[in-house]
Amino acid sequence: MAISITVITTASRSRRFLQTDPANVEQMLESLKRSGQIFSGKPLIIGSAGQTEIFSPQAIACVEIEASRDLSVLVPSSLNLTLTALTPEELAQPFAGGIEGEHVKARIEFFFKGGHVLRTSAEGTRKAALAERLMNLTSLFERPAISYRLPQGGIGLMNPHAMTRFVITPGVADLPRDAWLADLV
C-alpha cells in the first residue's frame, strides 16, 4: 500500500510526499494514533535520501494523508460530527442541511492564516443538552487537532491554532447568550 502526504502551510503552500515502502507506511500510520499531538511542540519532519523537510507545527494549517484503506480508525474523533472535505463538484451542488430529529447536516468552512480554506460537509447526532452543543461549537479553537475524511480516501488533520474562523451553514439555532446577532451584508 502507498500513501500520499500533503502538508498545507499557513502560507497557503502545499508540499506533497509519497511513501510506497510497506514498513515505512505502517510506521507512519502507527504514528497517527498520536495525531492529537501533531501540532503541539515538536516539528513535523518528512525525509528521504533526496532531502529532508522540517515544518514548524505553528505554520501547518492541515496535513492530509491519502490511502486506499480506512484511516479514520487511527485518529481520535473529538467531535460528534463526521467532517468530510468537499470536492469542487459537491460545492457546486445546492445544499440542504439542518436538523431532522437528532440528525444534523451542515456545511462548515474553515479559514486559516495565510488564506487556506477547507470546505467540509458535517453530519452527526445532535447533542441533547444545550450546554454540550454550545461547548462543541465554542471549543473548536481549543482542540489539539480536528480530523476529517478525504473524498478520495484517507484522512486530514486540521490545526485549530492556525484557524482564523469557521462558518456553519445553515446558521446555528442555539447560540450563546453573549453572541452578537446580525446578518451578513
Side-chain angles (χ1 to χ4, degrees):
M1 175 175 90
I3 61 172
S4 172
I5 303 124
T6 303
V7 178
I8 304 161
T9 69
T10 56
S12 212
R13 303 277 193 269
S14 295
R15 299 291 291 163
R16 193 169 175 93
F17 305 89
L18 179 67
Q19 180 51 259
T20 58
D21 179 80
N24 288 332
V25 167
E26 284 307 313
Q27 181 266 332
M28 294 169 91
L29 295 181
E30 183 64 27
S31 73
L32 285 178
K33 293 178 182 175
R34 298 179 304 280
S35 62
Q37 302 167 12
I38 193 168
F39 305 117
S40 59
K42 292 170 56 172
L44 175 62
I45 302 169
I46 301 176
S48 68
Q51 70 180 34
T52 299
E53 291 199 35
I54 303 167
F55 296 90
S56 166
Q58 296 86 9
I60 300 171
C62 300
V63 175
E64 297 182 340
I65 302 160
E66 294 177 39
S68 57
R69 78 181 215 209
D70 182 16
L71 303 180
S72 62
V73 297
L74 299 175
V75 295
S77 178
S78 54
L79 300 171
N80 63 321
L81 296 172
T82 299
L83 299 173
T84 304
L86 293 170
T87 65
E89 296 78 25
E90 291 170 321
L91 282 169
Q93 303 275 331
F95 176 71
I99 301 170
E100 289 183 24
E102 292 184 11
H103 184 76
V104 175
K105 185 175 181 182
R107 281 194 175 170
I108 305 177
E109 295 176 289
F110 296 93
F111 295 82
F112 296 87
K113 296 173 187 170
H116 178 64
V117 180
L118 175 63
R119 292 171 172 87
T120 67
S121 68
E123 291 195 47
T125 305
R126 185 174 191 232
K127 294 284 188 181
L130 176 60
E132 282 185 271
R133 292 194 305 269
L134 293 177
M135 175 85 137
N136 275 348
L137 177 67
T138 59
S139 69
L140 280 180
F141 292 111
E142 299 165 9
R143 297 179 188 275
I146 300 170
S147 63
Y148 58 97
R149 294 176 184 259
L150 300 175
Q152 67 271 28
I155 53 106
L157 296 166
M158 284 183 254
N159 182 355
H161 305 291
M163 266 191 254
T164 59
R165 66 185 173 112
F166 58 94
V167 177
I168 302 170
T169 306
V172 176
D174 302 322
L175 293 174
R177 279 182 287 200
D178 59 349
W180 293 9
L181 300 178
D183 290 316
L184 180 65
V185 291

